[in-house]
Amino acid sequence: MRTESSNSLALERSMNLQCHIMTFEEALRHASVNDKLDDERREKMFGLMKWKFDMNIHFDKRLKKILSLEISEEIKKELLSLREEIKNFNNKFEKSFEILKSDELYYEKIDDDVRTYLINYAARCREKLRIENSIVEEKLIRENKENLSK
C-alpha cells in the first residue's frame, strides 16, 4: 500500500475546507430567505401603522364634526380635551415610530450588506480553493505517473 504524499493530504484538506465554505455559503443563503420573509413582515407592519395613522385622522374629523354640533358646554369641553390628548399622543407616537422605523431600516441595510459580502466572499474562497485543488490534482497525477514509470 502506498503512503499518502503531502500533495494528496493537502488536496484532502483543501477539499474539506471547500465543503465547509459551501456549508457556510448555504447557511448565508438560508439567512437571506429568512431575511426576505422578515422584510415582508416589516412591510405589513409599516402598512398597519399607516392604517392606524389614517384612522386617527378619520376619528379626529369625526370628533371635530361632533364638536361643531350644538351640545352642552361641559360635554364640548370634555370632547375638546379628549381631542387634544389624542392629538398629543398620536404626534408623540408617530415621532417615536418614525425613529424606530428609521433605525430598523438602517440596521437592516447593514445586516443585508454584511450577508451579501459574506456570500460573495465565500464564493470567491470556494473558487480559489477549486483552482488550488486543480493544481494539486495535476501534481498528484504527474506524481502517480512518475511512480508508475519507475
Side-chain angles (χ1 to χ4, degrees):
M1 180 176 223
R2 185 176 153 229
T3 60
E4 292 188 22
S5 70
S6 61
N7 282 338
S8 64
L9 291 174
L11 178 62
E12 181 182 356
R13 180 182 171 277
S14 180
M15 291 175 87
N16 285 337
L17 282 171
Q18 193 169 6
C19 287
H20 291 302
I21 287 174
M22 290 169 72
T23 302
F24 174 73
E25 188 176 15
E26 194 56 35
L28 285 171
R29 281 197 184 99
H30 180 69
S32 293
V33 171
N34 290 339
D35 187 57
K36 181 179 177 257
L37 294 173
D38 187 47
D39 290 346
E40 291 172 9
R41 177 211 47 86
R42 184 178 309 99
E43 286 302 314
K44 287 179 184 177
M45 181 190 68
F46 292 164
L48 184 64
M49 295 311 297
K50 178 162 181 0
W51 177 58
K52 179 216 179 283
F53 297 138
D54 293 344
M55 288 306 294
N56 281 332
I57 291 169
H58 168 75
F59 294 141
D60 187 58
K61 285 179 183 176
R62 289 204 50 211
L63 269 173
K64 200 180 217 182
K65 183 180 177 184
I66 291 169
L67 287 167
S68 70
L69 300 173
E70 292 295 321
I71 52 177
S72 77
E73 285 304 311
E74 194 173 313
I75 292 174
K76 195 170 191 169
K77 183 179 173 184
E78 285 299 315
L79 285 172
L80 281 170
S81 174
L82 175 61
R83 183 174 179 228
E84 282 306 307
E85 283 182 46
I86 291 170
K87 275 185 176 181
N88 289 337
F89 169 77
N90 285 331
N91 287 337
K92 288 177 185 176
F93 182 86
E94 189 167 355
K95 286 177 188 174
S96 296
F97 179 75
E98 288 302 317
I99 290 169
L100 289 174
K101 181 179 172 181
S102 174
D103 288 351
E104 165 100 12
L105 295 173
Y106 174 76
Y107 293 127
E108 180 67 21
K109 171 89 171 87
I110 291 172
D111 185 50
D112 289 347
D113 291 348
V114 169
R115 187 178 304 103
T116 300
Y117 170 79
L118 289 172
I119 289 170
N120 292 332
Y121 181 73
R124 286 192 312 269
C125 288
R126 185 174 31 83
E127 181 63 18
K128 185 177 177 184
L129 281 170
R130 188 189 65 74
I131 291 167
E132 289 173 0
N133 286 350
S134 295
I135 292 168
V136 172
E137 285 170 350
E138 183 182 332
K139 285 180 184 177
L140 283 171
I141 291 168
R142 290 179 193 275
E143 184 181 288
N144 285 336
K145 182 182 176 204
E146 288 172 12
N147 287 338
L148 288 174
S149 298
K150 291 180 182 178

